[in-house]
Amino acid sequence: MKVYTSQQMREREQAAVDAGSSFEQLMENAGQAAAQDILKHFEAPQSVLILCGKGNNGGDGLVIARILTQYGYTVTVSLICGENLSTLSQLNYQRLQGLPIRF
């Protein structure tokens, strides 16, 4: 497994955006991939707690919450750094409204 520093990751994300992607799509892709990995390891729906910070990594967690809910998981999300979220995290938070997710 290759490990990247946060600076290296920012550079790779920016390169993807420069090549035509968007930060929103990168967040969706990251959350989808993580959710699929969880689904692969835990076939039956589970109860999960997702801890989210206020930045874009927290936004990845919100995408995971949305996907797992669609597969019947009981999801609780805790915003551990308050509700002053980054723009993309706020967008994904809004996408959770109306879903059976506990906060």
Side-chain angles (χ1 to χ4, degrees), residues 24-71:
E24 180 181 353
Q25 187 60 55
L26 294 176
M27 184 177 288
E28 184 69 24
N29 292 349
Q32 288 271 353
Q36 290 305 316
D37 194 56
I38 292 166
L39 292 167
K40 181 172 64 175
H41 288 90
F42 302 97
E43 295 175 14
Q46 307 281 319
S47 294
V48 297
L49 170 64
I50 301 176
L51 304 174
C52 297
K54 61 184 179 178
N56 287 346
N57 286 338
D60 296 343
L62 297 172
V63 173
I64 295 166
R66 178 171 40 85
I67 302 305
L68 293 181
T69 298
Q70 293 170 353
Y71 282 88

mmCIF file of all heavy atoms in Angstrom, residues 24-71:
data_model
loop_
_atom_site.group_PDB
_atom_site.id
_atom_site.type_symbol
_atom_site.label_atom_id
_atom_site.label_comp_id
_atom_site.label_asym_id
_atom_site.label_seq_id
_atom_site.Cartn_x
_atom_site.Cartn_y
_atom_site.Cartn_z
ATOM 1 N N GLU A 24 -16.095 18.101 -5.979
ATOM 2 C CA GLU A 24 -17.334 17.421 -5.598
ATOM 3 C C GLU A 24 -17.322 15.973 -6.088
ATOM 4 O O GLU A 24 -17.678 15.057 -5.345
ATOM 5 C CB GLU A 24 -18.538 18.155 -6.180
ATOM 6 C CG GLU A 24 -19.863 17.521 -5.838
ATOM 7 C CD GLU A 24 -21.051 18.251 -6.435
ATOM 8 O OE1 GLU A 24 -20.895 19.340 -7.011
ATOM 9 O OE2 GLU A 24 -22.166 17.694 -6.329
ATOM 10 N N GLN A 25 -16.897 15.751 -7.331
ATOM 11 C CA GLN A 25 -16.849 14.394 -7.866
ATOM 12 C C GLN A 25 -15.800 13.556 -7.153
ATOM 13 O O GLN A 25 -16.017 12.374 -6.889
ATOM 14 C CB GLN A 25 -16.574 14.405 -9.371
ATOM 15 C CG GLN A 25 -16.693 13.029 -10.011
ATOM 16 C CD GLN A 25 -18.076 12.423 -9.840
ATOM 17 O OE1 GLN A 25 -19.074 13.031 -10.197
ATOM 18 N NE2 GLN A 25 -18.141 11.223 -9.281
ATOM 19 N N LEU A 26 -14.664 14.156 -6.804
ATOM 20 C CA LEU A 26 -13.635 13.418 -6.049
ATOM 21 C C LEU A 26 -14.172 12.961 -4.701
ATOM 22 O O LEU A 26 -13.923 11.833 -4.269
ATOM 23 C CB LEU A 26 -12.390 14.278 -5.861
ATOM 24 C CG LEU A 26 -11.601 14.630 -7.123
ATOM 25 C CD1 LEU A 26 -10.456 15.578 -6.781
ATOM 26 C CD2 LEU A 26 -11.094 13.382 -7.815
ATOM 27 N N MET A 27 -14.951 13.834 -4.037
ATOM 28 C CA MET A 27 -15.532 13.482 -2.739
ATOM 29 C C MET A 27 -16.539 12.347 -2.907
ATOM 30 O O MET A 27 -16.555 11.392 -2.119
ATOM 31 C CB MET A 27 -16.206 14.698 -2.099
ATOM 32 C CG MET A 27 -16.756 14.440 -0.716
ATOM 33 S SD MET A 27 -17.460 15.913 0.035
ATOM 34 C CE MET A 27 -15.954 16.834 0.395
ATOM 35 N N GLU A 28 -17.361 12.439 -3.939
ATOM 36 C CA GLU A 28 -18.337 11.380 -4.198
ATOM 37 C C GLU A 28 -17.628 10.063 -4.480
ATOM 38 O O GLU A 28 -18.016 9.014 -3.960
ATOM 39 C CB GLU A 28 -19.237 11.773 -5.373
ATOM 40 C CG GLU A 28 -20.337 10.787 -5.669
ATOM 41 C CD GLU A 28 -21.423 10.714 -4.602
ATOM 42 O OE1 GLU A 28 -21.625 11.675 -3.836
ATOM 43 O OE2 GLU A 28 -22.076 9.650 -4.525
ATOM 44 N N ASN A 29 -16.589 10.101 -5.297
ATOM 45 C CA ASN A 29 -15.835 8.887 -5.624
ATOM 46 C C ASN A 29 -15.205 8.265 -4.384
ATOM 47 O O ASN A 29 -15.249 7.042 -4.194
ATOM 48 C CB ASN A 29 -14.744 9.178 -6.651
ATOM 49 C CG ASN A 29 -15.292 9.545 -8.010
ATOM 50 O OD1 ASN A 29 -16.479 9.401 -8.289
ATOM 51 N ND2 ASN A 29 -14.430 10.064 -8.864
ATOM 52 N N ALA A 30 -14.616 9.101 -3.522
ATOM 53 C CA ALA A 30 -13.968 8.604 -2.307
ATOM 54 C C ALA A 30 -14.998 7.957 -1.377
ATOM 55 O O ALA A 30 -14.781 6.867 -0.842
ATOM 56 C CB ALA A 30 -13.237 9.730 -1.590
ATOM 57 N N GLY A 31 -16.132 8.629 -1.179
ATOM 58 C CA GLY A 31 -17.165 8.089 -0.313
ATOM 59 C C GLY A 31 -17.775 6.812 -0.865
ATOM 60 O O GLY A 31 -18.020 5.854 -0.128
ATOM 61 N N GLN A 32 -17.990 6.781 -2.178
ATOM 62 C CA GLN A 32 -18.530 5.578 -2.821
ATOM 63 C C GLN A 32 -17.573 4.400 -2.652
ATOM 64 O O GLN A 32 -17.999 3.285 -2.331
ATOM 65 C CB GLN A 32 -18.771 5.836 -4.316
ATOM 66 C CG GLN A 32 -19.931 6.738 -4.621
ATOM 67 C CD GLN A 32 -21.234 5.986 -4.768
ATOM 68 O OE1 GLN A 32 -21.276 4.763 -4.763
ATOM 69 N NE2 GLN A 32 -22.312 6.734 -4.876
ATOM 70 N N ALA A 33 -16.285 4.645 -2.889
ATOM 71 C CA ALA A 33 -15.292 3.560 -2.779
ATOM 72 C C ALA A 33 -15.213 3.037 -1.350
ATOM 73 O O ALA A 33 -15.155 1.817 -1.127
ATOM 74 C CB ALA A 33 -13.932 4.050 -3.256
ATOM 75 N N ALA A 34 -15.213 3.931 -0.380
ATOM 76 C CA ALA A 34 -15.152 3.500 1.022
ATOM 77 C C ALA A 34 -16.406 2.717 1.397
ATOM 78 O O ALA A 34 -16.336 1.681 2.066
ATOM 79 C CB ALA A 34 -14.966 4.707 1.934
ATOM 80 N N ALA A 35 -17.569 3.197 0.961
ATOM 81 C CA ALA A 35 -18.818 2.493 1.261
ATOM 82 C C ALA A 35 -18.818 1.112 0.625
ATOM 83 O O ALA A 35 -19.238 0.136 1.255
ATOM 84 C CB ALA A 35 -20.013 3.313 0.779
ATOM 85 N N GLN A 36 -18.345 1.003 -0.601
ATOM 86 C CA GLN A 36 -18.299 -0.301 -1.267
ATOM 87 C C GLN A 36 -17.365 -1.261 -0.524
ATOM 88 O O GLN A 36 -17.656 -2.463 -0.432
ATOM 89 C CB GLN A 36 -17.867 -0.149 -2.730
ATOM 90 C CG GLN A 36 -18.917 0.515 -3.601
ATOM 91 C CD GLN A 36 -20.264 -0.174 -3.567
ATOM 92 O OE1 GLN A 36 -20.367 -1.398 -3.630
ATOM 93 N NE2 GLN A 36 -21.326 0.617 -3.434
ATOM 94 N N ASP A 37 -16.281 -0.753 0.021
ATOM 95 C CA ASP A 37 -15.374 -1.601 0.798
ATOM 96 C C ASP A 37 -16.062 -2.099 2.073
ATOM 97 O O ASP A 37 -15.935 -3.263 2.438
ATOM 98 C CB ASP A 37 -14.093 -0.834 1.129
ATOM 99 C CG ASP A 37 -13.005 -1.756 1.634
ATOM 100 O OD1 ASP A 37 -12.655 -2.718 0.921
ATOM 101 O OD2 ASP A 37 -12.519 -1.528 2.761
ATOM 102 N N ILE A 38 -16.802 -1.229 2.722
ATOM 103 C CA ILE A 38 -17.553 -1.633 3.915
ATOM 104 C C ILE A 38 -18.578 -2.697 3.545
ATOM 105 O O ILE A 38 -18.704 -3.726 4.222
ATOM 106 C CB ILE A 38 -18.234 -0.409 4.562
ATOM 107 C CG1 ILE A 38 -17.178 0.536 5.151
ATOM 108 C CG2 ILE A 38 -19.244 -0.844 5.630
ATOM 109 C CD1 ILE A 38 -17.700 1.903 5.514
ATOM 110 N N LEU A 39 -19.313 -2.481 2.456
ATOM 111 C CA LEU A 39 -20.324 -3.433 2.026
ATOM 112 C C LEU A 39 -19.717 -4.788 1.680
ATOM 113 O O LEU A 39 -20.336 -5.831 1.910
ATOM 114 C CB LEU A 39 -21.094 -2.876 0.824
ATOM 115 C CG LEU A 39 -21.984 -1.666 1.116
ATOM 116 C CD1 LEU A 39 -22.440 -1.016 -0.176
ATOM 117 C CD2 LEU A 39 -23.168 -2.067 1.980
ATOM 118 N N LYS A 40 -18.512 -4.769 1.145
ATOM 119 C CA LYS A 40 -17.838 -6.012 0.787
ATOM 120 C C LYS A 40 -17.479 -6.822 2.034
ATOM 121 O O LYS A 40 -17.540 -8.044 2.034
ATOM 122 C CB LYS A 40 -16.569 -5.688 -0.021
ATOM 123 C CG LYS A 40 -15.795 -6.909 -0.470
ATOM 124 C CD LYS A 40 -14.668 -6.549 -1.415
ATOM 125 C CE LYS A 40 -13.636 -5.693 -0.723
ATOM 126 N NZ LYS A 40 -12.461 -5.416 -1.546
ATOM 127 N N HIS A 41 -17.124 -6.151 3.115
ATOM 128 C CA HIS A 41 -16.687 -6.840 4.330
ATOM 129 C C HIS A 41 -17.827 -7.164 5.299
ATOM 130 O O HIS A 41 -17.680 -8.023 6.161
ATOM 131 C CB HIS A 41 -15.616 -6.009 5.040
ATOM 132 C CG HIS A 41 -14.307 -6.023 4.324
ATOM 133 N ND1 HIS A 41 -13.973 -5.102 3.356
ATOM 134 C CD2 HIS A 41 -13.265 -6.866 4.396
ATOM 135 C CE1 HIS A 41 -12.776 -5.378 2.888
ATOM 136 N NE2 HIS A 41 -12.323 -6.446 3.504
ATOM 137 N N PHE A 42 -18.929 -6.459 5.183
ATOM 138 C CA PHE A 42 -20.073 -6.653 6.086
ATOM 139 C C PHE A 42 -21.321 -6.766 5.236
ATOM 140 O O PHE A 42 -22.006 -5.781 4.991
ATOM 141 C CB PHE A 42 -20.198 -5.493 7.082
ATOM 142 C CG PHE A 42 -18.971 -5.300 7.920
ATOM 143 C CD1 PHE A 42 -18.017 -4.353 7.571
ATOM 144 C CD2 PHE A 42 -18.762 -6.069 9.050
ATOM 145 C CE1 PHE A 42 -16.882 -4.176 8.338
ATOM 146 C CE2 PHE A 42 -17.624 -5.898 9.825
ATOM 147 C CZ PHE A 42 -16.682 -4.952 9.465
ATOM 148 N N GLU A 43 -21.615 -7.987 4.788
ATOM 149 C CA GLU A 43 -22.699 -8.194 3.834
ATOM 150 C C GLU A 43 -24.073 -7.848 4.400
ATOM 151 O O GLU A 43 -24.887 -7.243 3.717
ATOM 152 C CB GLU A 43 -22.668 -9.626 3.336
ATOM 153 C CG GLU A 43 -21.418 -9.935 2.537
ATOM 154 C CD GLU A 43 -21.324 -11.383 2.145
ATOM 155 O OE1 GLU A 43 -22.332 -12.104 2.248
ATOM 156 O OE2 GLU A 43 -20.234 -11.805 1.729
ATOM 157 N N ALA A 44 -24.357 -8.246 5.612
ATOM 158 C CA ALA A 44 -25.663 -7.948 6.205
ATOM 159 C C ALA A 44 -25.650 -6.518 6.735
ATOM 160 O O ALA A 44 -24.640 -6.050 7.258
ATOM 161 C CB ALA A 44 -25.958 -8.928 7.326
ATOM 162 N N PRO A 45 -26.768 -5.814 6.618
ATOM 163 C CA PRO A 45 -26.818 -4.454 7.163
ATOM 164 C C PRO A 45 -26.455 -4.420 8.640
ATOM 165 O O PRO A 45 -26.838 -5.304 9.397
ATOM 166 C CB PRO A 45 -28.269 -4.030 6.945
ATOM 167 C CG PRO A 45 -28.710 -4.834 5.763
ATOM 168 C CD PRO A 45 -28.013 -6.167 5.938
ATOM 169 N N GLN A 46 -25.697 -3.441 9.002
ATOM 170 C CA GLN A 46 -25.195 -3.256 10.356
ATOM 171 C C GLN A 46 -25.636 -1.882 10.877
ATOM 172 O O GLN A 46 -26.099 -1.042 10.118
ATOM 173 C CB GLN A 46 -23.660 -3.284 10.359
ATOM 174 C CG GLN A 46 -23.028 -4.481 9.703
ATOM 175 C CD GLN A 46 -23.046 -5.690 10.592
ATOM 176 O OE1 GLN A 46 -22.803 -5.590 11.784
ATOM 177 N NE2 GLN A 46 -23.352 -6.826 10.017
ATOM 178 N N SER A 47 -25.420 -1.668 12.146
ATOM 179 C CA SER A 47 -25.533 -0.329 12.722
ATOM 180 C C SER A 47 -24.137 0.261 12.731
ATOM 181 O O SER A 47 -23.191 -0.393 13.173
ATOM 182 C CB SER A 47 -26.072 -0.390 14.149
ATOM 183 O OG SER A 47 -27.403 -0.850 14.145
ATOM 184 N N VAL A 48 -23.998 1.469 12.215
ATOM 185 C CA VAL A 48 -22.692 2.102 12.139
ATOM 186 C C VAL A 48 -22.747 3.521 12.682
ATOM 187 O O VAL A 48 -23.778 4.190 12.597
ATOM 188 C CB VAL A 48 -22.122 2.124 10.697
ATOM 189 C CG1 VAL A 48 -21.905 0.722 10.170
ATOM 190 C CG2 VAL A 48 -23.030 2.894 9.763
ATOM 191 N N LEU A 49 -21.628 3.926 13.230
ATOM 192 C CA LEU A 49 -21.424 5.297 13.675
ATOM 193 C C LEU A 49 -20.328 5.882 12.808
ATOM 194 O O LEU A 49 -19.234 5.315 12.702
ATOM 195 C CB LEU A 49 -21.003 5.339 15.149
ATOM 196 C CG LEU A 49 -20.519 6.691 15.680
ATOM 197 C CD1 LEU A 49 -21.640 7.733 15.634
ATOM 198 C CD2 LEU A 49 -19.965 6.527 17.089
ATOM 199 N N ILE A 50 -20.613 7.004 12.171
ATOM 200 C CA ILE A 50 -19.628 7.670 11.330
ATOM 201 C C ILE A 50 -19.291 9.008 11.979
ATOM 202 O O ILE A 50 -20.174 9.846 12.190
ATOM 203 C CB ILE A 50 -20.152 7.864 9.894
ATOM 204 C CG1 ILE A 50 -20.492 6.508 9.287
ATOM 205 C CG2 ILE A 50 -19.131 8.619 9.050
ATOM 206 C CD1 ILE A 50 -21.114 6.554 7.922
ATOM 207 N N LEU A 51 -18.024 9.185 12.334
ATOM 208 C CA LEU A 51 -17.553 10.425 12.941
ATOM 209 C C LEU A 51 -17.005 11.310 11.837
ATOM 210 O O LEU A 51 -16.133 10.897 11.082
ATOM 211 C CB LEU A 51 -16.461 10.126 13.971
ATOM 212 C CG LEU A 51 -16.845 9.145 15.077
ATOM 213 C CD1 LEU A 51 -15.634 8.827 15.939
ATOM 214 C CD2 LEU A 51 -17.983 9.703 15.910
ATOM 215 N N CYS A 52 -17.526 12.530 11.752
ATOM 216 C CA CYS A 52 -17.141 13.434 10.673
ATOM 217 C C CYS A 52 -16.619 14.752 11.238
ATOM 218 O O CYS A 52 -17.264 15.363 12.089
ATOM 219 C CB CYS A 52 -18.336 13.740 9.774
ATOM 220 S SG CYS A 52 -19.007 12.302 8.938
ATOM 221 N N GLY A 53 -15.488 15.168 10.720
ATOM 222 C CA GLY A 53 -14.997 16.506 11.010
ATOM 223 C C GLY A 53 -15.736 17.503 10.141
ATOM 224 O O GLY A 53 -16.660 17.159 9.405
ATOM 225 N N LYS A 54 -15.304 18.756 10.188
ATOM 226 C CA LYS A 54 -16.013 19.798 9.448
ATOM 227 C C LYS A 54 -15.462 20.027 8.044
ATOM 228 O O LYS A 54 -16.071 20.715 7.242
ATOM 229 C CB LYS A 54 -15.978 21.102 10.239
ATOM 230 C CG LYS A 54 -14.574 21.625 10.486
ATOM 231 C CD LYS A 54 -14.614 22.858 11.348
ATOM 232 C CE LYS A 54 -13.203 23.352 11.613
ATOM 233 N NZ LYS A 54 -13.204 24.564 12.403
ATOM 234 N N GLY A 55 -14.332 19.408 7.726
ATOM 235 C CA GLY A 55 -13.707 19.626 6.426
ATOM 236 C C GLY A 55 -14.157 18.618 5.389
ATOM 237 O O GLY A 55 -15.142 17.906 5.561
ATOM 238 N N ASN A 56 -13.401 18.546 4.318
ATOM 239 C CA ASN A 56 -13.795 17.683 3.213
ATOM 240 C C ASN A 56 -13.680 16.200 3.530
ATOM 241 O O ASN A 56 -14.428 15.399 2.971
ATOM 242 C CB ASN A 56 -13.004 18.041 1.956
ATOM 243 C CG ASN A 56 -13.474 19.360 1.370
ATOM 244 O OD1 ASN A 56 -14.528 19.875 1.723
ATOM 245 N ND2 ASN A 56 -12.688 19.914 0.484
ATOM 246 N N ASN A 57 -12.793 15.802 4.436
ATOM 247 C CA ASN A 57 -12.776 14.396 4.839
ATOM 248 C C ASN A 57 -14.077 14.034 5.544
ATOM 249 O O ASN A 57 -14.592 12.926 5.387
ATOM 250 C CB ASN A 57 -11.575 14.087 5.732
ATOM 251 C CG ASN A 57 -10.281 14.043 4.964
ATOM 252 O OD1 ASN A 57 -10.270 13.832 3.761
ATOM 253 N ND2 ASN A 57 -9.184 14.249 5.661
ATOM 254 N N GLY A 58 -14.609 14.968 6.297
ATOM 255 C CA GLY A 58 -15.922 14.763 6.897
ATOM 256 C C GLY A 58 -16.994 14.611 5.836
ATOM 257 O O GLY A 58 -17.936 13.837 5.983
ATOM 258 N N GLY A 59 -16.841 15.349 4.744
ATOM 259 C CA GLY A 59 -17.770 15.221 3.618
ATOM 260 C C GLY A 59 -17.736 13.833 3.024
ATOM 261 O O GLY A 59 -18.774 13.279 2.632
ATOM 262 N N ASP A 60 -16.540 13.231 2.966
ATOM 263 C CA ASP A 60 -16.431 11.840 2.504
ATOM 264 C C ASP A 60 -17.274 10.940 3.404
ATOM 265 O O ASP A 60 -17.975 10.042 2.930
ATOM 266 C CB ASP A 60 -14.979 11.356 2.532
ATOM 267 C CG ASP A 60 -14.051 12.104 1.591
ATOM 268 O OD1 ASP A 60 -14.533 12.791 0.668
ATOM 269 O OD2 ASP A 60 -12.824 11.997 1.795
ATOM 270 N N GLY A 61 -17.206 11.179 4.714
ATOM 271 C CA GLY A 61 -17.987 10.388 5.662
ATOM 272 C C GLY A 61 -19.484 10.552 5.454
ATOM 273 O O GLY A 61 -20.249 9.598 5.602
ATOM 274 N N LEU A 62 -19.910 11.750 5.079
ATOM 275 C CA LEU A 62 -21.330 11.984 4.829
ATOM 276 C C LEU A 62 -21.796 11.245 3.576
ATOM 277 O O LEU A 62 -22.919 10.740 3.527
ATOM 278 C CB LEU A 62 -21.599 13.486 4.726
ATOM 279 C CG LEU A 62 -21.305 14.277 6.006
ATOM 280 C CD1 LEU A 62 -21.417 15.768 5.758
ATOM 281 C CD2 LEU A 62 -22.211 13.832 7.146
ATOM 282 N N VAL A 63 -20.936 11.160 2.580
ATOM 283 C CA VAL A 63 -21.252 10.361 1.390
ATOM 284 C C VAL A 63 -21.393 8.892 1.797
ATOM 285 O O VAL A 63 -22.342 8.211 1.393
ATOM 286 C CB VAL A 63 -20.186 10.521 0.287
ATOM 287 C CG1 VAL A 63 -20.433 9.558 -0.869
ATOM 288 C CG2 VAL A 63 -20.136 11.964 -0.224
ATOM 289 N N ILE A 64 -20.467 8.400 2.609
ATOM 290 C CA ILE A 64 -20.533 7.016 3.089
ATOM 291 C C ILE A 64 -21.861 6.778 3.809
ATOM 292 O O ILE A 64 -22.522 5.759 3.587
ATOM 293 C CB ILE A 64 -19.345 6.697 4.012
ATOM 294 C CG1 ILE A 64 -18.025 6.756 3.234
ATOM 295 C CG2 ILE A 64 -19.516 5.342 4.682
ATOM 296 C CD1 ILE A 64 -16.786 6.779 4.110
ATOM 297 N N ALA A 65 -22.261 7.713 4.657
ATOM 298 C CA ALA A 65 -23.518 7.579 5.396
ATOM 299 C C ALA A 65 -24.697 7.440 4.431
ATOM 300 O O ALA A 65 -25.570 6.582 4.625
ATOM 301 C CB ALA A 65 -23.715 8.786 6.305
ATOM 302 N N ARG A 66 -24.726 8.264 3.408
ATOM 303 C CA ARG A 66 -25.821 8.222 2.431
ATOM 304 C C ARG A 66 -25.874 6.868 1.728
ATOM 305 O O ARG A 66 -26.940 6.259 1.600
ATOM 306 C CB ARG A 66 -25.663 9.353 1.416
ATOM 307 C CG ARG A 66 -26.726 9.356 0.329
ATOM 308 C CD ARG A 66 -26.686 10.600 -0.545
ATOM 309 N NE ARG A 66 -25.383 11.092 -0.905
ATOM 310 C CZ ARG A 66 -24.665 10.649 -1.952
ATOM 311 N NH1 ARG A 66 -25.114 9.689 -2.723
ATOM 312 N NH2 ARG A 66 -23.489 11.183 -2.213
ATOM 313 N N ILE A 67 -24.729 6.376 1.297
ATOM 314 C CA ILE A 67 -24.678 5.113 0.562
ATOM 315 C C ILE A 67 -25.092 3.948 1.464
ATOM 316 O O ILE A 67 -25.907 3.104 1.074
ATOM 317 C CB ILE A 67 -23.266 4.864 -0.018
ATOM 318 C CG1 ILE A 67 -22.844 5.998 -0.943
ATOM 319 C CG2 ILE A 67 -23.190 3.509 -0.722
ATOM 320 C CD1 ILE A 67 -23.774 6.301 -2.066
ATOM 321 N N LEU A 68 -24.546 3.890 2.674
ATOM 322 C CA LEU A 68 -24.876 2.775 3.572
ATOM 323 C C LEU A 68 -26.357 2.763 3.919
ATOM 324 O O LEU A 68 -26.966 1.687 4.038
ATOM 325 C CB LEU A 68 -24.010 2.823 4.826
ATOM 326 C CG LEU A 68 -22.521 2.559 4.610
ATOM 327 C CD1 LEU A 68 -21.777 2.615 5.943
ATOM 328 C CD2 LEU A 68 -22.265 1.247 3.896
ATOM 329 N N THR A 69 -26.955 3.930 4.069
ATOM 330 C CA THR A 69 -28.393 4.005 4.336
ATOM 331 C C THR A 69 -29.175 3.387 3.183
ATOM 332 O O THR A 69 -30.155 2.673 3.401
ATOM 333 C CB THR A 69 -28.817 5.468 4.553
ATOM 334 O OG1 THR A 69 -28.128 5.971 5.700
ATOM 335 C CG2 THR A 69 -30.301 5.584 4.794
ATOM 336 N N GLN A 70 -28.725 3.615 1.969
ATOM 337 C CA GLN A 70 -29.406 3.052 0.798
ATOM 338 C C GLN A 70 -29.351 1.524 0.793
ATOM 339 O O GLN A 70 -30.180 0.878 0.169
ATOM 340 C CB GLN A 70 -28.795 3.607 -0.486
ATOM 341 C CG GLN A 70 -29.037 5.086 -0.676
ATOM 342 C CD GLN A 70 -28.224 5.689 -1.815
ATOM 343 O OE1 GLN A 70 -27.367 5.050 -2.409
ATOM 344 N NE2 GLN A 70 -28.502 6.948 -2.104
ATOM 345 N N TYR A 71 -28.382 0.958 1.495
ATOM 346 C CA TYR A 71 -28.243 -0.491 1.582
ATOM 347 C C TYR A 71 -28.841 -1.061 2.866
ATOM 348 O O TYR A 71 -28.602 -2.217 3.211
ATOM 349 C CB TYR A 71 -26.769 -0.893 1.460
ATOM 350 C CG TYR A 71 -26.290 -0.868 0.024
ATOM 351 C CD1 TYR A 71 -25.792 0.296 -0.532
ATOM 352 C CD2 TYR A 71 -26.364 -2.011 -0.771
ATOM 353 C CE1 TYR A 71 -25.364 0.334 -1.860
ATOM 354 C CE2 TYR A 71 -25.935 -1.987 -2.092
ATOM 355 C CZ TYR A 71 -25.444 -0.808 -2.633
ATOM 356 O OH TYR A 71 -25.036 -0.779 -3.944
#
